[in-house]
Amino acid sequence: MAANPENDERTLHDELSLPILLADRVIKSAQEAESSKLDCADLAKQVDRLSQMLRSAVRIAAATQSLYDRPVRRIVADVAKNLDRALTLVRKCKHSGVLRQVFSITTTADFRKVSSLLESSIGDMKWLLSVFESDGANLSLPPIASNDPILSWVWSYIATIQMGQLRDRVEAANSLVSLARDNDRNKKIIVDEGGVTPLLKLLKEGSSPDAQIAAASALFHIATDQERVRIIIDLLGINVVVSVLGDSPMRVQVYVVRLVSEMAELDTVAQEVLGRENVIRPLVSLLAMDTVLDDPKVQSASGKPSIHNLVQINKQLAVNGLNPNSRLSSFSNHYHSDGSSRGGGHHRKEREREAESNPEVKLELKAGCAKALWKLCKGCLFNSRKVTETKGLICLAKIIEKEAGELQLNCLMTVMEIAVVAESNPDLRRAAFKPNSPAAKAILDQLLRVIQEEANQELQIPAIKAIGSLARTFPARETRIVGPLVARLGSADVDVAIEAAIALGKFVCTDNFNCVEHSKTIIEFDGVPSLMRLLRTTDRTSERGHVNCLVLLCYLASHVGNSKALEQARALNTLEGGARYLVAQYPDLRDLLAKAIHNLTLYQAGAHPHRQTFIP
């Protein structure tokens, strides 16, 4: 629940009233002193100066609509303590009888100490007033922060962001970026001193692209752990971020997308909140820039766009102020016209100009959007479904086909994460990757192309993982899927070969209805010799790879134990040799291994059906 500003203002007024009241009492008591009159008079002068500064602070607080009060509360509390000590001291100088004089002895050292404390309070108040009255950040050090200069700098920067002029606010936000980059302690101070709220306000206002970039960059460097991400969520920052992403210049969107990606990666709660705030649509919209997406709504029954539909589309584009021939508008117009954009199309023409004049910024933005989708979809059913419900899959497929570098890799990683989620969710798997779906076909074609044609391990591995996760969607007759995976079993890159073995294991496991047919296909594509070579390699280099290769061999033996290829490769000897270790380390594989050895023993010539299997 949001705090009531009136209550905050009244509380701050009360906090300022207390030291003013104490100051008046000190001055009155000093005037009534009967001993150490000169020392008391000196203290009274200091207190009077302090009182005037406190009254100035009250006037500033009353006149300022959005006062940054963290340093005010901290300094005023310290001032009140020092005034209380001064009051105690001067009251001792008001004698009343001999006995009281004995118990109220004051020394010059006492006055010197209290005077020093009051001088520090005067320095603190002087700094505080200068922060509120100066243009730009004040980098001088108040006595209260003499041992921690970062604190006073953070106070000054945040005060400037909250109350300063636009140019000064931008500079202050960039200064917070520099501090946050240095270490985690600085980030914690910025958050603890209330820096997130004014940064979100600066981002939301849209006063200038530079201001939004500075605010987004500061938030990005602050939100580097789950705790600080949660603070941004609690301050309703997700709503601001999504709103700005939907309607801001392209160079601002680059920084906002980085923030979205970072938050989604660090916190599953942020993943869900971002998804429910509908961040997927603007991300897919931006990713689809310059990508022509076939829209089934504009297709006639014959599969070709009708003249009537083309005329209607051009009219609609004209109404929305877009160039009908602009490829930039091909998807983003659909996004903005459906009412899901938070800010409308205020910056749409500016984005089109940026896309034409700054191709590097456009490429960076698209790569950032793809990475954000990757992080949002990782392990998240809601977001994965959202991507598939938009034109996300067809867009990802086209980019994987035509682009290269970071953008292509991030799109592949997004597809892989969606496939991983779909592997454990039959509804998503059937809805998004049904065999007759154009989007699913496009994705599958590109995954196979990457596996067969790309030489880069970073691209091949996510493509192989995605195919493996979708193993249960492919019919038995779809042999073109298994072939490229079998070929990669013999890859010179061991990591690629291991991923191929893991993926093939999902085709032949008992959870796959077509496991027997897929097993036959693997053997027909001469996969056994490659698998046996990989087993020998991983035995020395990778336990994870070796175990997965043994599991694949077990499934092949269980489903097609009568295969000549398995007999020629001496698969039975291999399984018996690894049985004791495998069962000891992975007890849940005991039954699978026993069945595989039993099957091979039954079918292979010369093998005794009652021989010792070496399974403990």
Side-chain angles (χ1 to χ4, degrees):
M1 182 176 177
N4 188 332
E6 292 183 3
N7 290 340
D8 285 347
E9 185 178 347
R10 186 168 61 250
T11 303
L12 181 60
H13 184 272
D14 291 343
E15 290 192 23
L16 285 165
S17 298
L18 174 61
I20 291 173
L21 181 61
L22 285 172
D24 291 342
R25 289 177 179 173
V26 172
I27 293 171
K28 183 179 179 182
S29 296
Q31 292 170 348
E32 296 173 351
E34 297 178 8
S35 65
S36 303
K37 291 185 178 182
L38 186 59
D39 290 329
C40 287
D42 290 339
L43 284 186
K45 290 178 182 178
Q46 288 180 296
V47 171
D48 182 60
R49 187 179 175 193
L50 201 50
S51 176
Q52 292 176 21
M53 290 180 171
L54 287 166
R55 295 176 195 280
S56 296
V58 171
R59 288 192 293 271
I60 291 173
T64 306
Q65 286 187 342
S66 180
L67 182 75
Y68 175 55
D69 63 357
R70 293 298 286 251
V72 179
R73 295 178 187 277
R74 178 83 172 269
I75 288 173
V76 166
D78 195 66
V79 169
K81 288 180 183 178
N82 293 339
L83 285 171
D84 190 58
R85 294 186 66 169
L87 180 60
T88 301
L89 180 62
V90 295
R91 279 179 172 173
K92 289 181 180 180
C93 298
K94 187 179 179 181
H95 300 307
S96 178
V98 177
L99 188 61
R100 181 148 188 178
Q101 291 182 36
V102 173
F103 289 101
S104 303
I105 297 174
T106 59
T107 65
T108 304
D110 294 330
F111 280 99
R112 191 179 298 120
K113 185 174 182 180
V114 171
S115 177
S116 176
L117 292 173
L118 291 175
E119 200 60 41
S120 294
S121 291
I122 290 170
D124 289 335
M125 288 302 301
K126 185 177 180 181
W127 177 88
L128 184 63
L129 294 175
S130 70
V131 167
F132 293 139
E133 293 173 352
S134 66
D135 294 329
N138 181 356
L139 299 184
S140 61
L141 293 181
I144 197 172
S146 58
N147 294 326
D148 190 3
I150 298 297
L151 178 62
S152 66
W153 294 344
V154 167
W155 279 343
S156 183
Y157 293 142
I158 295 175
T160 302
I161 294 170
Q162 185 159 322
M163 303 182 299
Q165 299 299 314
L166 180 59
R167 186 181 66 179
D168 298 328
R169 295 171 75 192
V170 174
E171 290 180 1
N174 285 326
S175 297
L176 285 184
V177 171
S178 299
L179 286 179
R181 278 177 178 159
D182 288 344
N183 55 61
D184 284 343
R185 181 178 180 274
N186 291 354
K187 296 170 189 175
K188 187 177 187 306
I189 292 174
I190 293 169
V191 172
D192 290 347
E193 298 306 320
V196 172
T197 298
L199 285 170
L200 288 171
K201 181 182 177 184
L202 184 62
L203 178 64
K204 182 180 181 180
E205 285 175 356
S207 306
S208 78
D210 289 339
Q212 290 182 299
I213 288 171
S217 184
L219 290 167
F220 171 79
H221 285 95
I222 290 169
T224 55
D225 70 6
Q226 187 183 77
E227 181 182 356
R228 290 191 286 272
V229 170
R230 291 284 175 90
I231 289 172
I232 294 176
I233 295 172
D234 293 342
L235 293 172
L236 306 180
I238 298 292
N239 183 280
V240 174
V241 169
V242 176
S243 176
V244 173
L245 178 63
D247 183 37
S248 59
M250 193 179 295
R251 58 196 180 103
V252 174
Q253 290 172 323
V254 168
Y255 286 85
V256 177
V257 162
R258 287 172 60 201
L259 177 59
V260 169
S261 180
E262 182 80 356
M263 294 175 71
E265 182 174 15
L266 290 171
D267 187 19
T268 55
V269 172
Q271 260 188 331
E272 294 179 11
V273 177
L274 282 163
R276 297 190 188 283
E277 287 291 336
N278 212 13
V279 75
I280 299 296
R281 276 194 175 276
L283 287 173
V284 175
S285 171
L286 294 169
L287 186 62
M289 283 188 296
D290 285 347
T291 303
V292 179
L293 304 178
D294 298 328
D295 192 338
K297 293 179 182 178
V298 305
Q299 301 293 322
S300 65
S302 64
K304 297 179 180 179
S306 67
I307 298 296
H308 174 73
N309 281 338
L310 290 174
V311 170
Q312 292 300 319
I313 291 167
N314 283 329
K315 283 182 178 179
Q316 183 62 40
L317 291 173
V319 168
N320 288 323
L322 292 170
N323 178 2
N325 298 318
S326 170
R327 291 196 295 167
L328 174 62
S329 67
S330 63
F331 184 81
S332 60
N333 179 60
H334 167 76
Y335 157 63
H336 288 296
S337 65
D338 70 1
S340 60
S341 170
R342 306 302 173 97
H346 182 67
H347 293 282
R348 196 178 306 158
K349 290 184 178 180
E350 185 176 349
R351 284 198 297 272
E352 289 191 23
R353 288 194 298 270
E354 283 184 299
E356 294 173 1
S357 60
N358 294 312
E360 296 85 3
V361 174
K362 179 179 65 176
L363 181 61
E364 183 181 1
L365 175 58
K366 293 177 72 171
C369 288
K371 184 177 181 180
L373 288 172
W374 161 19
K375 302 302 181 182
L376 284 162
C377 292
K378 186 174 183 179
C380 183
L381 174 61
F382 182 85
N383 289 340
S384 297
R385 182 177 284 122
K386 279 285 187 181
V387 173
T388 62
E389 287 173 353
T390 64
K391 294 186 178 182
L393 285 181
I394 192 72
C395 175
L396 290 166
K398 287 183 177 292
I399 291 175
I400 292 170
E401 177 185 9
K402 296 180 179 180
E403 299 292 344
E406 184 184 2
L407 175 56
Q408 183 187 34
L409 174 61
N410 290 346
C411 288
L412 267 172
M413 296 302 292
T414 303
V415 172
M416 182 194 77
E417 295 298 350
I418 294 173
V420 169
V421 173
E423 181 178 5
S424 57
N425 189 274
D427 291 338
L428 176 62
R429 194 166 62 245
R430 284 191 290 267
F433 296 100
K434 51 188 175 184
N436 60 346
S437 162
K441 287 180 180 178
I443 284 290
L444 181 58
D445 288 343
Q446 292 311 310
L447 292 176
L448 292 175
R449 183 190 65 78
V450 169
I451 293 171
Q452 292 173 300
E453 299 177 11
E454 294 286 352
N456 187 347
Q457 174 209 45
E458 286 189 341
L459 299 176
Q460 285 185 342
I461 287 178
I464 291 171
K465 283 184 176 179
I467 291 287
S469 296
L470 300 174
R472 279 181 280 181
T473 65
F474 304 121
R477 63 181 181 276
E478 192 71 276
T479 57
R480 74 185 184 108
I481 309 296
V482 175
L485 293 178
V486 172
R488 287 302 168 194
L489 274 178
S491 173
D493 190 311
V494 176
D495 291 332
V496 171
I498 289 172
E499 289 302 334
I502 294 171
L504 287 170
K506 295 177 181 180
F507 278 83
V508 298
C509 70
T510 51
D511 291 338
N512 195 314
F513 181 77
N514 297 310
C515 56
V516 175
E517 294 303 320
H518 289 317
S519 298
K520 292 177 181 178
T521 303
I522 291 172
I523 291 175
E524 288 172 8
F525 278 103
D526 207 23
V528 173
S530 297
L531 177 59
M532 300 305 289
R533 285 194 297 272
L534 184 58
L535 269 167
R536 289 191 291 272
T537 301
T538 55
D539 187 32
R540 302 185 300 272
T541 60
S542 170
E543 179 181 347
R544 168 180 172 268
H546 191 67
V547 170
N548 280 287
C549 289
L550 283 173
V551 168
L552 175 57
L553 185 59
C554 285
Y555 280 126
L556 293 176
S558 298
H559 300 320
V560 282
N562 58 346
S563 165
K564 287 291 182 183
L566 291 173
E567 183 178 358
Q568 292 169 1
R570 301 175 65 85
L572 179 58
N573 290 344
T574 300
L575 291 179
E576 287 180 335
R580 189 177 299 277
Y581 169 79
L582 190 64
V583 172
Q585 296 296 318
Y586 304 92
D588 53 326
L589 296 178
R590 178 189 179 93
D591 292 342
L592 174 63
L593 189 59
K595 181 180 179 182
I597 291 176
H598 177 70
N599 252 23
L600 291 175
T601 303
L602 282 178
Y603 287 109
Q604 292 185 8
H608 196 283
H610 301 293
R611 67 191 287 180
Q612 173 67 37
T613 63
F614 302 102
I615 299 179

